[in-house]
């Protein structure tokens, strides 16, 4: 079997939602004529919220080439990049890129250059692995915050994971990781250090961005960094550990996937597939049921994917000989204090949050914002702030059949807070007190936000699914709260983004291997918002079934008010192979546009282009993962369709044209394209190439010299970047050769 034939098993393709809430909206409210509904929801208010936006500029964002940001250059004026299986970053002609940093690059002058042969150390002072979300924070020439600077900046960068699924990786360790247990401390220390985040300085030198190796601003957060707990769970008994019996601190932030940029210029990083790093003994249910107050934690652990007997992804617990390893074993030790202060029975409750970091001040600890809910947070998208209105943030839960959430702050936005010097204090104001909601997508194209507050919507001690004790319990168990209020099971919510002009919210639904027409077990039936079920057949072999290629849904809040509790939605785009039949390729994608498994999603503020990135395993026999540029229209610009095959009626946006959707980038072999940000002038785009060579056959590599050409990818060493041949996750900076806006 060649690497090309390997069908990638996505380590993020996880699902634990066995709740009974409906996937098809069986209880329709008064069935509204959609045309009337749309007319009514546009009504008044939409213009008011996005002050300064006029009807003509609103039209400008809907695929009209006269967009204000591009008066001299046509948006999407480049020639589409063909699909590619090359081990290279492919861009349109007229564009170039440089590698800004890669796994292992030093962040200090005193840290040795990266050898990339498995013998490197001091990873606490190097870039970590699996670059993911990324955010840009401008710096003035004198080193003070300047959001408008396109010359100098701090970059917040997530390091989600490492290519080490079976502990035999040659990517990181000299001769492959150790499979005998307990694993050597040196290997575990290295792996704990490459997870987390990096904040680093970039500066333009001779017109090109480069990172500043010895900048005093540079810092890492890894798994031994102390982090503060904020919000309702701060000080709560359910977070008590041996490390901090007061439940005010924990260590590390883990599996940092997407990111967010607050209106007050802090960096937020999202903990996604954190649960899999913890182990739980095969007899832990009985242990918990024997200790007063812990029986219900079994329900929570099962819902978050840690059934008893679960093994940890990397076996970081080792033999429990040191506290920094022991914490990865969350089994309840009946010989220890009943309140959990003597072991790590509660450690899982210290993960699963959105974490706020002040990129400009490394002396301040990061804060886990527990009010924003606990789940597999993909990213955090803030709505444009309006003086006197609440701060609103959206975040999806990326696992099969999980939910879409939003946060509405109690405090109303004060524009003075955008320039506050104590940025984390501003975070306390808008991210610790407010309401969390979960989405219900209805069959008539409308939707509802259900409030997840203790004592509301049946979220109380007598709830039959799970007895909620207080607001902290609701936040810690957001998924169970979502189950209890009948939230809609989605096809893996990945990134969301708010259109900077019309305020509509876009959400990628990457794929769902568990959608079935006639579901059994944990499978779910198609519904209006997740309407496709089909099979991907190569030759005569069915390689994938369900929603194979994913889609992008979008919604418009009622009255244009982000704090509203109702919305209308449609499907902006369906992913598909261009040659797939129309019943699958519903959006009519051409070979210049076709894609599978949308994941990263972000709107440029300079051009308003919607950038779509893929993390795919279904179409990778034809093309590596990619990034597309899009100029979407608006909710309701298409109409209802009935998907033959499932016979489900959904609402689909206007089909894209060659002028409104175009492939811009294809990555090297085995990579995911993820994370995107820009300099404020729109002339430099920062994009991450995650895990090139992910499908490397470890057996092949082990059979020979690990540095021989056995890796699926040798990027970026194959373009002369750095030592060694092992593939490395990296950030690239894309510029236009004529110095113009990216995407024109
Ligand atoms: Fe880390 Fe769902 O992607
Ligand atoms: Ca993702
Ligand atoms: Ca993904
Ligand atoms: Ca990945």
């Amino acid at each position: 079997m060649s690497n090309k034939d390997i069908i990638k098993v996505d380590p993020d393709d996880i699902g634990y939602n066995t709740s009974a809430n409906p996937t098809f909206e069986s209880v329709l409210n008064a069935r509204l004529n959609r045309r009337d509904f749309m007319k009514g929801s546009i009504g008044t208010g939409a213009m008011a919220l996005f002050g300064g936006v006029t009807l003509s500029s609103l039209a400008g964002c809907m695929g009209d080439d006269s967009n204000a940001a591009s008066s001299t250059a046509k948006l999407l004026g480049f020639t589409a990049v063909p699909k590619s299986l090359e081990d290279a970053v492919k861009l349109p002609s007229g564009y170039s890129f440089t590698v800004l940093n890669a796994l292992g690059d030093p962040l200090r002058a005193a840290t040795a250059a990266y050898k990339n042969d498995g013998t490197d150390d001091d990873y606490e002072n190097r870039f970590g692995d699996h670059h993911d979300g990324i955010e840009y924070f401008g710096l003035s020439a004198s080193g003070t915050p300047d959001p408008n600077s396109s010359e100098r900046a701090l970059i917040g960068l997530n390091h989600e994971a490492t290519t080490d699924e079976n502990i035999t990786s040659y990517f990181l360790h000299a001769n492959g990781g150790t499979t005998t247990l307990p694993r050597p401390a040196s290997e575990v220390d290295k792996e704990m250090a490459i997870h987390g985040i990096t904040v680093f300085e970039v500066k333009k030198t001779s017109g090109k961005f480069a990172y500043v190796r010895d900048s005093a601003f540079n810092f890492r957060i890894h798994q031994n960094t102390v982090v503060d707990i904020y919000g309702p769970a701060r000080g709560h008994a359910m977070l008590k550990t041996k490390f901090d019996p007061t439940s005010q601190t924990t260590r590390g932030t883990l599996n940092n996937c997407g990111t967010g940029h607050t209106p007050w210029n802090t960096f937020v990083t999202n903990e996604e597939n954190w649960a899999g790093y913890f182990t739980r003994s095969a007899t832990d249910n009985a242990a918990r049921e024997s200790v007063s107050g812990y029986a219900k934690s079994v329900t929570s652990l099962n819902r978050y994917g840690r059934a008893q007997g679960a093994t940890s992804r990397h076996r970081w617990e080792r033999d429990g000989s040191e506290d920094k390893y022991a914490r990865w074993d969350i089994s309840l030790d009946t010989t220890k204090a009943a309140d959990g202060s003597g072991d790590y029975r509660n450690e899982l409750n210290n993960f699963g949050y959105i974490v706020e970091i002040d990129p400009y001040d490394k002396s301040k600890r990061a804060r886990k914002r527990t009010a924003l809910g606990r789940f597999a947070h993909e990213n955090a998208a803030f709505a444009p702030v309006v003086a006197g209105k609440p701060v609103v943030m959206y975040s999806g839960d990326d696992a099969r059949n999980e939910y879409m959430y939003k946060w509405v702050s109690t405090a109303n936005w004060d524009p003075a807070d955008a320039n506050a010097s104590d940025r984390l204090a501003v975070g306390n104001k808008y991210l610790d007190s407010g309401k969390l909601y979960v989405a219900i997508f209805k069959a008539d194209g409308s939707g509802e936000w259900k409030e997840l507050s203790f004592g509301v919507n049946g979220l109380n001690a007598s709830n039959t699914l799970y007895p909620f004790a207080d607001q902290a319990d609701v936040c810690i168990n957001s998924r169970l709260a979502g189950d209890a209020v009948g939230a809609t099971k989605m096809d893996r919510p990945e990134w969301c983004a708010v259109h900077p002009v019309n305020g509509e919210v876009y959400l990628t639904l990457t794929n769902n291997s568990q959608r079935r027409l006639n579901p059994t077990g944990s499978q779910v039936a198609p519904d209006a918002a997740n309407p496709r079920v089909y099979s991907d057949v190569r030759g005569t072999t069915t390689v994938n079934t369900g929603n194979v290629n994913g889609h992008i849904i979008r919604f418009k809040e009622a009255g244009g008010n982000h704090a509203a509790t109702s919305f209308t939605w449609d499907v902006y785009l369906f992913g598909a192979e261009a040659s797939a039949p129309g019943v699958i390729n519903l959006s009519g994608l051409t070979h210049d546009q076709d894609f599978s498994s949308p994941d990263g999603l972000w709107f440029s503020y300079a051009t308003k282009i919607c950038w779509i990135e893929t993390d795919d395993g279904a179409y990778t026999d034809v093309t590596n993962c990619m990034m597309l540029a899009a100029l979407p229209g608006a909710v309701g610009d298409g109409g209802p369709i009935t998907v033959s095959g499932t016979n489900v009626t959904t609402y689909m946006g206007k089909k894209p044209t060659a002028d409104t959707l175009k492939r811009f980038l294809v990555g090297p072999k085995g990579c995911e394209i993820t994370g995107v940000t820009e300099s404020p002038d729109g002339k430099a785009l920062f994009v991450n190439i995650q895990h090139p060579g992910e499908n490397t056959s470890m057996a092949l590599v082990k059979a020979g010299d690990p540095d021989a050409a056995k890796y699926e990818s040798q990027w970026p060493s194959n373009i002369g970047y750095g030592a060694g041949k092992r593939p490395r996750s990296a950030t690239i900076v894309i510029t236009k050769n004529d110095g113009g806006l990216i995407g024109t």
Side-chain angles (χ1 to χ4, degrees):
M1 198 187 216
S2 72
N3 283 339
K4 185 169 167 288
D5 298 326
I6 292 171
I7 295 159
K8 182 176 142 191
V9 177
D10 182 354
D12 294 348
D13 185 7
I14 290 170
Y16 300 106
N17 192 351
T18 55
S19 70
N21 50 315
T23 56
F24 191 90
E25 188 57 37
S26 51
V27 187
L28 286 182
N29 294 335
R31 192 173 175 98
L32 296 163
N33 174 290
R34 184 166 172 82
R35 190 174 295 272
D36 293 343
F37 189 92
M38 293 308 302
K39 204 163 54 185
S41 68
I42 287 171
T44 57
M47 295 303 106
L49 180 61
F50 307 107
V53 176
T54 62
L55 273 175
S56 59
S57 68
L58 199 62
C61 75
M62 294 173 186
D64 182 333
D65 294 331
S66 67
N67 190 306
S70 63
S71 53
T72 57
K74 180 180 153 134
L75 291 178
L76 273 56
F78 59 88
T79 301
V81 174
K83 286 166 277 198
S84 166
L85 289 168
E86 289 179 42
D87 193 23
V89 172
K90 309 291 277 184
L91 291 170
S93 71
Y95 284 86
S96 305
F97 74 94
T98 54
V99 176
L100 184 69
N101 72 73
L103 161 69
D105 281 343
L107 288 160
R108 309 262 167 254
T111 300
Y114 196 55
K115 299 193 292 288
N116 194 25
D117 61 1
T119 64
D120 297 281
D121 58 9
D122 195 16
Y123 278 88
E124 289 82 356
N125 291 307
R126 299 182 183 280
F127 282 90
D129 204 357
H130 281 216
H131 300 37
D132 205 319
I134 188 167
E135 302 288 343
Y136 184 102
F137 301 92
L139 268 183
S140 70
S142 61
T144 55
D146 176 7
N148 298 318
S149 171
S150 291
E151 299 297 315
R152 186 183 180 196
L154 301 177
I155 303 270
L157 171 64
N158 279 353
H159 299 294
E160 185 180 37
T162 184
T163 308
D164 198 0
E165 297 312 316
N166 53 9
I167 322 180
T168 59
S169 172
Y170 274 95
F171 286 72
L172 197 65
H173 304 302
N175 295 300
T178 305
T179 51
T180 51
L181 302 178
R183 299 187 58 217
S186 61
E187 291 183 9
V188 173
D189 289 346
K190 196 187 283 192
E191 291 169 17
M192 291 201 300
I194 60 169
H195 286 69
I197 65 105
T198 299
V199 172
F200 63 102
E201 183 183 342
V202 295
K203 204 188 246 180
K204 264 190 196 161
T205 314
S206 312
K208 292 223 181 266
F209 277 108
Y211 88 87
V212 183
R213 176 170 170 178
D214 55 353
S215 170
F217 286 106
N218 295 350
F219 67 96
R220 285 288 321 279
I221 297 179
H222 48 73
Q223 302 320 306
N224 292 318
T225 310
V226 177
V227 170
D228 286 331
I229 303 291
Y230 271 73
R234 181 176 172 87
H236 198 277
M238 290 170 67
L239 271 65
K240 198 175 286 240
T241 61
K242 187 178 172 191
F243 175 72
D244 185 355
T246 71
S247 309
Q248 296 186 28
T249 61
T250 185
R251 284 165 289 182
T253 177
L254 185 55
N255 206 270
N256 304 78
C257 181
T259 46
H261 190 141
T262 67
W264 50 96
N265 292 310
T266 58
F267 176 52
V268 294
T269 179
N270 286 32
E271 299 183 327
E272 189 192 19
N273 292 316
W274 39 275
Y277 291 75
F278 296 85
T279 190
R280 190 170 162 234
S281 96
T283 56
D284 193 49
N285 285 358
R288 287 177 185 266
E289 282 151 9
S290 74
V291 176
S292 174
Y294 277 92
K296 77 174 192 176
S297 68
V298 173
T299 305
S300 172
L301 289 161
N302 288 340
R303 184 65 180 82
Y304 281 85
R306 289 297 89 185
Q308 65 175 352
T311 54
S312 60
R313 178 168 172 170
H314 298 295
R315 310 293 175 91
W316 287 349
E317 69 276 9
R318 302 192 62 243
D319 52 7
S321 58
E322 284 182 61
D323 193 67
K324 66 180 176 180
Y325 309 126
R327 63 186 294 221
W328 305 104
D329 183 345
I330 55 170
S331 309
L332 186 150
D333 183 343
T334 53
T335 69
K336 296 289 175 9
D339 67 357
S341 60
D343 62 10
Y344 286 97
R345 67 186 68 177
N346 294 318
E347 184 72 317
L348 202 68
N349 291 338
N350 282 294
F351 289 87
Y353 300 109
I354 291 179
V355 186
E356 186 182 14
I357 295 160
D358 185 344
Y360 296 108
D361 187 352
K362 66 183 182 185
S363 73
K364 293 208 169 89
R365 281 183 191 161
R367 299 182 180 178
K368 296 202 176 191
R369 299 294 183 187
T370 63
L372 309 182
R374 176 171 165 269
F375 46 89
H377 283 282
E378 181 73 17
N379 79 322
F382 287 83
V385 281
V386 178
K389 302 280 185 191
V391 170
V392 176
M393 184 218 70
Y394 299 88
S395 185
D397 183 355
D398 178 16
R400 291 191 301 266
N401 310 321
E402 292 297 347
Y403 310 136
M404 180 66 197
Y405 297 81
K406 85 165 171 183
W407 166 258
V408 178
S409 69
T410 303
N412 290 324
W413 177 245
D414 175 355
D417 287 333
N419 301 310
S421 54
D422 189 346
R423 286 168 288 273
L424 292 177
V426 177
N428 292 358
K429 179 175 171 184
Y430 297 112
L431 301 179
D432 286 345
S433 174
K435 287 178 180 171
L436 186 65
Y437 294 86
V438 70
I440 297 178
F441 290 82
K442 300 184 181 186
D444 65 354
S446 70
E448 182 184 356
W449 291 107
K450 282 276 193 186
E451 184 180 336
L452 303 181
S453 296
F454 180 68
V456 175
N457 291 324
L459 302 175
N460 53 38
S462 48
N463 191 288
T464 52
L465 262 182
Y466 176 87
F468 295 95
D470 50 29
Q471 184 58 30
D473 204 356
V474 172
C475 293
I476 294 164
N477 289 292
S478 317
R479 283 181 173 174
L480 288 162
D483 296 347
V485 303
T488 303
K489 295 179 175 181
M490 307 299 284
D491 287 346
R492 295 187 53 197
E494 298 253 24
W495 287 64
C496 54
V498 181
H499 194 300
V501 178
N502 71 9
E504 294 181 358
V505 186
Y506 285 68
L507 168 66
T508 53
L509 297 164
T510 197
N511 55 56
N512 190 348
S513 56
Q514 294 292 301
R515 283 273 168 207
R516 287 296 186 283
L517 208 44
N518 298 299
T520 58
S522 60
Q523 297 169 344
V524 293
D527 62 18
N530 305 274
R532 285 190 308 177
V533 173
Y534 56 99
S535 288
D536 178 15
V537 180
R538 287 181 209 162
T540 55
T541 308
T542 297
V543 290
N544 285 298
T545 298
N547 177 6
V548 176
N549 303 115
H551 58 288
I552 303 175
I553 202 166
R554 63 185 172 189
F555 48 90
K556 176 192 194 70
E557 300 279 21
N561 173 12
H562 283 283
T565 54
S566 64
F567 57 88
T568 51
W569 62 267
D570 69 11
V571 175
Y572 161 50
L573 271 181
F574 287 99
E577 304 181 10
S579 55
V583 62
I584 294 170
N585 187 9
L586 293 166
S587 295
L589 305 181
T590 68
H591 284 283
D592 286 343
Q593 303 168 321
D594 60 342
F595 66 92
S596 176
S597 304
D599 188 333
L601 183 79
W602 181 79
F603 283 93
S604 159
Y605 285 85
T607 60
K608 318 305 180 214
I609 287 174
C610 178
W611 293 102
I612 302 166
E613 302 173 312
T614 71
D615 171 20
D616 185 42
Y619 202 18
T620 41
D621 55 327
V622 172
T623 183
N624 300 336
C625 288
M626 64 182 71
M627 181 163 80
L628 304 102
L631 297 172
V635 171
D637 64 7
I641 59 163
T642 298
V643 182
S644 63
T646 58
N647 206 31
V648 169
T649 295
T650 187
Y651 301 90
M652 184 173 78
K654 188 175 158 187
K655 289 182 183 178
T657 68
D659 289 328
T660 62
L661 180 65
K662 209 176 264 189
R663 190 178 302 105
F664 178 81
L665 176 155
V666 183
K669 292 182 178 184
C671 79
E672 164 185 345
I673 306 296
T674 183
V676 48
T677 190
E678 67 189 351
S679 56
D681 62 8
K683 295 178 176 178
L685 198 71
F686 299 75
V687 174
N688 287 319
I689 311 296
Q690 192 189 73
H691 59 60
E694 185 186 45
N695 306 305
T696 295
S697 159
M698 291 304 162
L700 274 178
V701 174
K702 274 188 143 176
D705 171 1
D707 260 355
K710 299 285 171 51
Y711 294 94
E712 179 195 25
S713 167
Q714 292 188 8
W715 191 90
S717 77
N718 63 6
I719 51 168
Y721 189 87
K725 290 183 176 165
R726 300 173 181 213
R728 298 160 74 185
S729 294
T731 306
I732 61 170
V733 190
I734 300 167
T735 51
K736 201 172 180 205
N737 300 346
D738 67 4
L741 292 171
I742 309 301
T744 56

